[in-house]
Amino acid sequence: MFRQLKTTLVATLIGAMLAGQALPAYADSGDQLPDMGTSAGSTLSIGQEMQMGDYYVRQLRGSAPLINDPLLVQYINGLGMRLVSHANSVKTPFHFFLINNDEINAFAFFGGNVVLHSALFRYADNESQLASVMAHEISHVTQRHLARAMEDQKRSAPLTWVGALGSILLAMASPQAGMAALTGTLAGTQQGVISFTQQNEQEADRIGIQVLQRSGFDPQAMPTFLEKLLDQARYSTRPPEILLTHPLPESRLADARNRANQMRPVVTQSSEDFYMAKVRTLGMYNSGRNQLTSDLLDALAKGNVREQHAAQYGRALQAMQDKNFAEARRQLQPLLAAQPGSAWYLDLSTDIDLGLNKANDAINRLKTAPDLKNNPVLQLNLANAYLEGGQPGETVKILNRYTFSHPDDTNGWDLLAQAQAKLGNRDQELAARAEVMALLGKLDQAISLLSGASSQVKLGSLQQARYDARIDQLRQLQQRFRPYEKM
Ligand SMILES: [Zn+2]
């Protein structure tokens, strides 16, 4: 009974949280509780919402097993942007995150941030199915479901709401730490929005399936994927986690099926990138257990040409993970010869070269890659190859530009810190490490690293003024985040 109740509360809150729209930002309103308003979206400016999103994204980076693989980050964001560009009422930028988690799930929160669990790659047979989950999440955001849920909950204390939402986020990211926090914050939160949540679910399906079709994906993929989830729930002792966060009665499946049947059929094939991403995620990131089985590789090898490429890429990845560099090179070479510009292949090729202490081969290949200027994955690869090849000065040149255009990527700052350390630039090393810490939400540590950097340089120098200005910025951020930290 207790378990049932807790599940319902979690589902209710998460369902409401999915849109992540209307949470009060207390920093600007002193200690006053915000007026919850009368219509969706009237309570919170987009700027305030983005600030909440910024806070929780940092918490997510700092506490969740985020997959920070540049290739996969690039793939899911590319796919997400394609869907977002066909959605209406887009009021925030969108960011897509991948978490290493073997439970099938996805959720969205404040400021257009969408989180996908890696298990989705195991479970999605094709790109349209993966896109159907993402389109559903995007629609929770664009329909401002959280704002509406909060208006229904006017009498519940907003503070509880904020705390519960943060705890749910933690629960998703790291189940053990999060559930304890959740049990604490949920005390006293009332029930009663579960039917509302189901209405939200159907709306997210209805809008999502349109987004899916307009983006050129197969609308049938949505009911097909929902049906797979229901099957899984029927035949296992424990339903997939996604059904707790997105309730799925049979009627929801029937509705999705009806809608898909009324749409013009879309004939589409999954992109080669989808298969590459699937193989890479299953091979490298599924909670330490390799899920890139020989059955899956054999099935791919019998498929279309894209699937065949993915099967061979998967075999090369496996050899690389076994540190069998010669075999990895043997599998990869024909793929690379046929598509010398592919970031998937160039990235693996770099790893093989670095494994063999042939950094110069990697550098020469990457330097002449046609897409180097536009592709952040290749830039990071080249920066890393220079570092491994004993040329940290070149690494710094690339990363000074890279961190300017991608300030939210910890990979860039982390590599930059290593290169500065090799060069003996202690202050710049500390400053780069500070940026990593800030992105992980560890603002105290970031500030203390920057103080260290500031004390390393000449008193009154331009460099010192820069470090001190950055410290001021982070202190302001800390002030703005303080209300959320107490939740
Ligand atoms: Zn949903």
Side-chain angles (χ1 to χ4, degrees), residues 320 324-326 328-329 332-333 336 345-366 381 384-385 388-389:
M320 176 68 207
N324 186 345
F325 302 120
R329 174 61 71 199
L332 181 64
Q333 205 48 45
L336 187 61
Y345 302 157
L346 285 168
D347 178 271
L348 180 54
S349 196
T350 304
D351 290 343
I352 296 170
D353 284 335
L354 297 183
L356 292 168
N357 288 317
K358 291 181 175 172
N360 278 333
D361 289 2
I363 291 167
N364 290 331
R365 194 181 312 103
L366 290 162
N381 265 278
N384 188 38
E388 297 290 319

Side-chain angles (χ1 to χ4, degrees), residues 18 136-137 140 201 204 246:
L18 292 163
H136 176 100
E137 299 305 327
H140 274 308
E201 287 307 303
H246 305 258

